[in-house]
């Protein structure tokens, strides 16, 4: 029996930064401290912040006063204006890599390009990016959706920062068929690419793959999907409690990875449980 | 027995235009009229022009006086300067679509992009495009060559106008892996794409494919290659004399197409011979 743990599992730079910002804020502003939507897509981490007084509010209208932290995925233009109008104290925990994607989107739009975002149209990061562009934006999350679009004279393409690079590449290739000019900024976060590549390598070698992270975490869902394509015995869990002994019963080599918003304490707990169930030393 | 002839076979707009320009010039300037390299890549058409007094010279140094026609594939910066210095009368028969590719190459270079041309480095069109850029140009004609290049901060990609769109698309996808920003101008001539697509459709339906055009014609070579990938019984010929009766002996459905520089009289001759050999009415 062997357990292979991905080196790239867990908090990325942007998530770590957002958590640090929220922890700092909880010390400075012990009262009336809010995040607009969950700071990161991990219920356990968000619960931990709530115990420190960082309250989650789904809409800016529900924040009466005090301080609002903009989450790692960014904030929409509408919410930014509302927060300013209400004179809330703003602390921006938007991931700098997400911010970069926002800037490229604006740049392409300002320079006369139709804009295509490769990403999940429901994801707050994509919604925020989109909000800064008035019109002429399409969001696609699969090749089929891209095939129905165009033709374009000038098309700009960016990606949600946690997208799969292969999907991004395929969609760029499809769009090239109907674009006279194509301008692509690769806005996929390098850490995401590395995490996905490492997961692929591990999934190839094991007979069971465990992917840890929030069910609401897009990058964790994609990570699980990528692993499942290679190793059908892939399980996406949020915490060690969900880990089912029978999943591991017949398995000889188990792989472990986690999304960008999964805290290390949760990864450690899962690791301990796997070792315990399989009689491995820690 | 059936014979399927591609509607898109033969002279494209740029070649027809170059031939018209050369014919006009032969009336206006009956003496000291030259082309720098063959006007188009078809030995029979070039021979026809020679009989009208349009002489081919491989180097500008060999043109003593009079008029030089720049061929459909364009002229290199060096030759352009030399022709001006020698005070030759210049008639530019460069295909407007090739000229557009040259302009995009210059534009990308001037705006700080490394430049990649998808094309044959030995082809005069590519050599001419390249000559306007001092440095930082790569030319690749297959995916393997592209894989060794980069990384780039800003990469611009254009194609030789007669390239295969699929190859262009594959190389763009490969380059995306190592480019932070990618700017692509699809400079492939629409007529080339249509010709290739029609050839693919015909090759799928026949049991023998004949591709007519100069052996020095890049677009004809590619056309033959595309057909051969689908129908191994594909024959590239320049004239009807090369058509071998045994190629057709066992065949029930024969397809016919021709490159962009193949004159209609040559296509007609081949058609007549096929009909004769297979006992078909004209």
């Amino acid at each position: 029996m062997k357990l292979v743990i991905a080196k790239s599992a867990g908090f990325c730079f942007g998530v770590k930064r957002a958590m640090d910002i929220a922890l700092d804020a909880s010390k400075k502003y012990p009262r009336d401290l809010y995040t607009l939507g969950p700071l990161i897509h991990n219920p356990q981490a968000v619960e931990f912040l709530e115990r420190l007084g960082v309250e989650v509010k789904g809409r800016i209208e529900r924040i009466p006063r005090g301080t609002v932290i903009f989450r790692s995925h960014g904030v929409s233009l509408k919410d930014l204006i509302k927060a300013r109008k209400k004179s809330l104290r703003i602390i921006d925990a938007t991931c700098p890599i997400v911010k970069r994607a926002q800037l490229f989107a604006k740049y392409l739009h300002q320079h006369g390009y139709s804009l295509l975002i490769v990403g999940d149209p429901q994801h707050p990061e994509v919604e925020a990016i989109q909000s800064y562009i008035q019109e002429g934006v399409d969001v696609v999350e699969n090749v089929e959706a891209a095939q129905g679009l165009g033709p374009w004279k000038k098309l700009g393409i960016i990606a949600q920062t946690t997208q799969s690079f292969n999907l991004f590449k395929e969609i760029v290739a499809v769009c090239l068929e109907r674009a006279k000019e194509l301008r692509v900024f690769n806005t996929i976060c390098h850490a995401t690419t590395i995490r996905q590549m490492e997961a692929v390598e591990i999934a190839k070698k094991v007979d069971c793959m465990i992917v840890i992270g929030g069910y609401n975490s897009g990058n964790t869902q994609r990570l699980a999907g990528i692993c499942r394509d290679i190793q059908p015995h892939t399980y996406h869990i949020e915490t060690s409690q969900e880990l089912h002994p029978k999943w591991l019963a017949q398995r000889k080599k188990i792989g472990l990875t986690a999304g960008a918003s999964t805290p290390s304490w949760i990864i450690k707990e899962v690791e301990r449980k796997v070792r315990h169930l399989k009689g491995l030393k820690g």
Side-chain angles (χ1 to χ4, degrees), chain A:
Chain A
M1 226 307 293
K2 216 182 153 185
L3 176 63
V4 188
I5 302 169
K7 286 194 191 84
S8 57
F11 276 11
C12 65
F13 154 76
V15 166
K16 197 180 170 310
R17 182 176 168 275
M19 283 296 280
D20 287 347
I21 288 173
L23 292 174
D24 271 2
S26 74
K27 287 174 208 160
K28 268 195 204 164
Y29 312 107
R31 289 181 56 183
D32 295 325
L33 179 61
Y34 306 92
T35 64
L36 184 58
L39 182 79
I40 62 172
H41 276 153
N42 187 275
Q44 292 72 35
V46 169
E47 221 181 281
F48 169 79
L49 287 174
E50 275 177 340
R51 285 200 295 268
L52 296 174
V54 187
E55 210 177 318
V56 182
K57 292 287 182 190
R59 300 177 56 201
I60 205 105
E61 286 79 1
R62 300 209 176 123
I63 302 178
R65 73 193 73 80
T67 304
V68 60
I69 304 175
F70 291 150
R71 58 175 157 183
S72 56
H73 315 98
V75 69
S76 74
L77 182 61
K78 226 192 259 177
D79 285 336
L80 176 64
I81 292 169
K82 281 185 198 163
R84 281 183 183 157
K85 273 196 184 155
K86 289 186 94 167
S87 302
L88 298 172
R89 180 185 294 109
I90 291 172
I91 296 178
D92 192 357
T94 305
C95 165
I97 293 164
V98 171
K99 207 132 212 176
R100 200 174 144 263
Q102 289 177 356
L103 289 174
F104 282 135
K106 279 187 223 173
Y107 176 90
L108 287 167
H109 179 66
Q110 281 162 0
H111 285 76
Y113 292 84
S114 302
L115 185 67
L116 187 82
I117 304 171
V118 178
D120 172 1
Q122 314 288 334
H123 194 281
E125 180 192 325
V126 175
E127 283 176 345
I129 294 175
Q130 234 181 322
S131 75
Y132 292 91
I133 319 289
Q134 273 82 36
E135 52 188 23
V137 197
D138 283 302
V139 182
V140 291
E141 56 177 342
N142 56 56
V143 173
E144 293 69 37
Q147 269 157 347
L149 300 175
W152 306 273
K153 227 181 138 185
K154 293 173 73 174
L155 176 67
I157 307 184
I158 63 160
Q160 183 181 354
T161 59
T162 55
Q163 270 301 317
S164 133
F165 181 74
N166 273 341
L167 177 69
F168 184 52
K169 210 166 75 168
E170 281 173 35
I171 288 179
V172 166
V174 161
C175 291
L176 187 57
E177 291 175 19
R178 282 185 299 285
K180 278 283 159 201
E181 182 194 340
L182 195 65
R183 196 158 174 189
V184 188
F185 289 101
N186 182 357
T187 53
I188 294 176
C189 163
H190 195 56
T192 299
T193 307
I194 288 179
R195 185 191 313 272
Q196 290 174 350
M197 280 165 60
E198 194 187 6
V200 164
E201 288 315 307
I202 295 176
K204 279 182 194 164
K205 287 182 222 151
V206 298
D207 54 3
C208 172
M209 192 76 196
I210 296 161
V211 182
I212 318 160
Y215 293 127
N216 58 345
S217 157
N219 84 81
T220 309
Q221 286 169 20
R222 266 185 296 282
L223 200 59
I226 289 167
C227 291
R228 199 168 289 121
D229 286 345
I230 296 164
Q231 175 48 260
H233 297 290
T234 292
Y235 303 97
H236 176 181
I237 57 173
E238 258 188 15
T239 68
S240 64
Q241 286 155 2
E242 297 159 29
L243 190 70
H244 219 292
K246 73 169 182 191
W247 295 342
L248 312 182
Q250 307 293 325
R251 309 295 155 204
K252 292 207 165 58
K253 207 165 174 184
I254 296 162
L256 203 80
T257 187
S261 43
T262 312
S264 58
W265 80 80
I266 294 184
I267 303 172
K268 282 261 152 60
E269 264 175 27
V270 173
E271 182 191 341
R272 254 195 304 273
K273 186 156 178 189
V274 172
R275 291 194 185 279
H276 173 74
L277 286 169
K278 302 297 286 185
L280 278 170
K281 278 182 190 164

